Amino acid sequence: MNILVINAGSSSLKYQLIRMEDETTLCKGICERIGIDGKYSYKTMTGYKVEKEADLFTHKDAFDVILHEMVQGEGHVIDSVNEIAAIGHRVTHGGDKFSHSVLVDEATIDAIANMRDISPLHNPPQAATIRACRTVFGEALPMAAVFDTAFHATMPPKAYTFAIPYKYYEEHGVRRYGFHGTSHRYVSGRMAELLGEMPHRLITCHLGNGSSLAAIKDGKVVDTSMGFTPLDGIIMGTRCGSIDPSIVSYIANLENLHERGMNRLLNNESGLLGVSGVSSDFRDVLEAAENGKERAQLAADMLEYQLVKLIGSYAAALGGVDAILFTGGIGENAMGLREQVMHDLAYLGVTADLAANNSRGEEVRISGADSKVEVWVIPTNEELVIARETVRLAKQAKA
Ligand code: ADP
């Protein structure tokens, strides 16, 4: 059984076709600059690869191109669309409505689109993408929506409520939702498999362009660092993370900025980029720091410091910590950052295995044999979670 997994942004679309019998990726790629000029990549497990410019005026054009490559292209991996059993879509915001993955019908697509108030950047384009996908692949093909917020739905009110007038929660849904849930879910599940049981108190650190931490008790999220939107929490590539909220009105007055301008400043011009003045990419920031650029060093130090501080506060929330794990582009690759964090967590009884930590993108325990806390690197695989969820729902629908 093959499952197509779709992760769409407003101008990009990542896809992956997974054969579920052995959970192997048959092909994958990305369509970019949709609605601008358009280019795409297509790669198969047998080593066939294309990267092309193409007229991708809409997401429908992107789906047409993907389907053509998969079925008829030189590197085709299936003979007909009928060999795709179902499609799974990553959806950013499930709000209060979706605490689990669901099969997609018209009402679901409307509900996803109608969350535009709380998720203006992500939900409307994702709803439109699901519609375009149904047009290309046909309405009979089962489709699932898997929400980035869903895994965090177990948070208690004391963790998800903001201390502002309560009516904004009741009437407008303003609360902490958390994101990257599919990643936190995959790595925590994998941790349980590796250790033979789910750690009682686990802290998962997803560190990429966007970053978030989750405090997980017996497999259930009790707190997470992203909030009402993905802007909250730890310093990110271009997002500011947690700041004093009154800075918003102060800078808005100073620069005569309104909602859109402030959103751009905090989402796209802040974080590692804003502080370092060099780049949003952590590799560039580290390189600049090594070359003596002080603000790049400051940005890197802030990331490490905020990480240690947040892990400490989650250890307090959980009443201690049994396991910590790193994932995401930075978490899986930045060995120096991990070493420093483990060093700074010595007070929790963390010791490091520096030889094991000297690795990139691998599933490995990096804490020492005498460490009181298991520390691991676990590469994330959100697509696999989406594919498994899609299979589960498609089977349920058939039964
Ligand atoms: P996204 O959140 O867009 O999925 P990723 O999870 O791929 O992003 O993470 C991208 C981040 O990972 C970038 O900041 C990049 O610099 C960082 N990264 C990738 N490789 C390394 C490395 N070897 N050392 C440090 N950071 C790295």
Side-chain angles (χ1 to χ4, degrees):
M1 173 190 262
N2 301 323
I3 301 291
L4 180 63
V5 176
I6 302 294
N7 179 358
S10 54
S11 68
S12 72
L13 191 161
K14 290 188 201 154
Y15 64 93
Q16 205 170 115
L17 185 67
I18 303 178
R19 183 171 64 205
M20 296 310 288
E21 287 76 8
D22 55 357
E23 296 189 333
T24 296
T25 299
L26 297 179
C27 66
K28 67 177 180 178
I30 178 165
C31 301
E32 291 172 283
R33 301 179 62 83
I34 301 169
I36 306 165
D37 40 17
K39 65 173 189 176
Y40 74 94
S41 67
Y42 174 82
K43 237 177 18 188
T44 69
M45 63 183 279
T46 53
Y48 176 84
K49 209 169 158 181
V50 281
E51 257 186 66
K52 268 193 204 160
E53 300 198 344
D55 286 340
L56 304 179
F57 299 117
T58 64
H59 281 77
K60 180 181 171 303
D61 296 334
F63 285 119
D64 282 332
V65 162
I66 298 170
L67 184 59
H68 178 83
E69 287 289 355
M70 286 191 303
V71 178
Q72 290 162 2
E74 208 184 312
H76 73 276
V77 288
I78 50 177
D79 291 322
S80 130
V81 67
N82 297 332
E83 290 176 42
I84 301 173
I87 300 181
H89 292 273
R90 176 184 185 191
V91 179
T92 304
H93 216 312
D96 269 333
K97 198 171 169 65
F98 298 108
S99 53
H100 296 284
S101 315
V102 292
L103 278 179
V104 169
D105 57 15
E106 271 306 307
T108 316
I109 303 179
D110 285 343
I112 291 170
N114 285 340
M115 265 172 247
R116 63 172 61 82
D117 286 350
I118 57 174
S119 177
L121 298 178
H122 297 107
N123 278 43
Q126 284 167 351
T129 304
I130 298 174
R131 277 217 168 85
C133 189
R134 267 158 71 96
T135 311
V136 173
F137 289 86
E139 291 199 8
L141 193 62
M143 288 191 192
V146 179
F147 299 90
D148 252 15
T149 45
F151 187 56
H152 302 301
T154 48
M155 271 188 291
K158 67 181 177 187
Y160 71 64
T161 308
F162 291 117
I164 56 175
Y166 198 68
K167 72 169 187 181
Y168 293 105
Y169 167 57
E170 283 184 310
E171 294 170 25
H172 302 280
V174 178
R175 50 159 281 186
R176 179 181 304 285
Y177 290 100
F179 298 86
H180 289 145
T182 314
S183 175
H184 290 289
R185 176 172 167 177
Y186 174 78
V187 291
S188 58
R190 192 68 199 123
M191 181 85 280
E193 281 170 13
L194 290 162
L195 297 179
E197 60 178 352
M198 181 60 83
H200 177 43
R201 300 160 303 182
L202 170 66
I203 299 172
T204 49
C205 309
H206 177 112
L207 310 173
N209 279 317
S211 298
S212 68
L213 274 67
I216 303 178
K217 198 168 216 168
D218 300 322
K220 293 200 165 70
V221 174
V222 294
D223 208 345
T224 190
S225 59
M226 282 180 167
F228 178 56
T229 70
L231 190 55
D232 198 10
I234 193 164
I235 178 173
M236 302 176 224
T238 58
R239 297 187 200 128
C240 58
S242 304
I243 57 170
D244 177 345
S246 55
I247 293 170
V248 179
S249 55
Y250 184 78
I251 295 183
N253 279 332
L254 204 64
E255 303 281 1
N256 198 18
L257 287 172
H258 293 282
E259 187 191 334
R260 187 186 284 238
M262 272 318 289
N263 272 334
R264 192 173 48 241
L265 187 143
L266 299 173
N267 277 289
N268 305 112
E269 298 166 10
S270 298
L272 296 174
L273 172 68
V275 175
S276 72
V278 172
S279 170
S280 62
D281 190 294
F282 194 51
R283 277 168 298 198
D284 298 341
V285 172
L286 290 178
E287 195 185 318
E290 256 175 36
N291 291 330
K293 175 120 181 150
E294 281 176 22
R295 273 169 43 195
Q297 187 60 55
L298 172 63
D301 290 346
M302 284 170 70
L303 174 59
E304 197 272 334
Y305 174 67
Q306 292 186 11
L307 201 46
V308 169
K309 205 163 78 160
L310 206 48
I311 290 173
S313 78
Y314 283 176
L318 291 166
V321 55
D322 303 303
I324 298 170
L325 63 88
F326 293 97
T327 194
I330 296 177
E332 291 165 29
N333 293 295
M335 306 181 290
L337 175 72
R338 295 193 307 244
E339 181 180 340
Q340 188 63 44
V341 169
M342 286 192 284
H343 175 268
D344 290 348
L345 295 178
Y347 76 98
L348 288 173
V350 171
T351 64
D353 177 340
L354 294 182
N357 186 46
N358 193 14
S359 72
R360 292 205 162 108
E362 278 175 47
E363 207 168 62
V364 59
R365 184 200 342 242
I366 55 173
S367 49
D370 59 344
S371 183
K372 293 211 174 77
V373 183
E374 295 264 349
V375 187
W376 284 73
V377 177
I378 300 186
T380 193
N381 194 341
E382 292 161 273
E383 287 76 14
L384 190 55
V385 173
I386 296 172
R388 287 175 182 164
E389 280 292 276
T390 305
V391 170
R392 184 179 65 77
L393 289 166
K395 279 187 177 157
Q396 253 175 28
K398 255 192 178 173

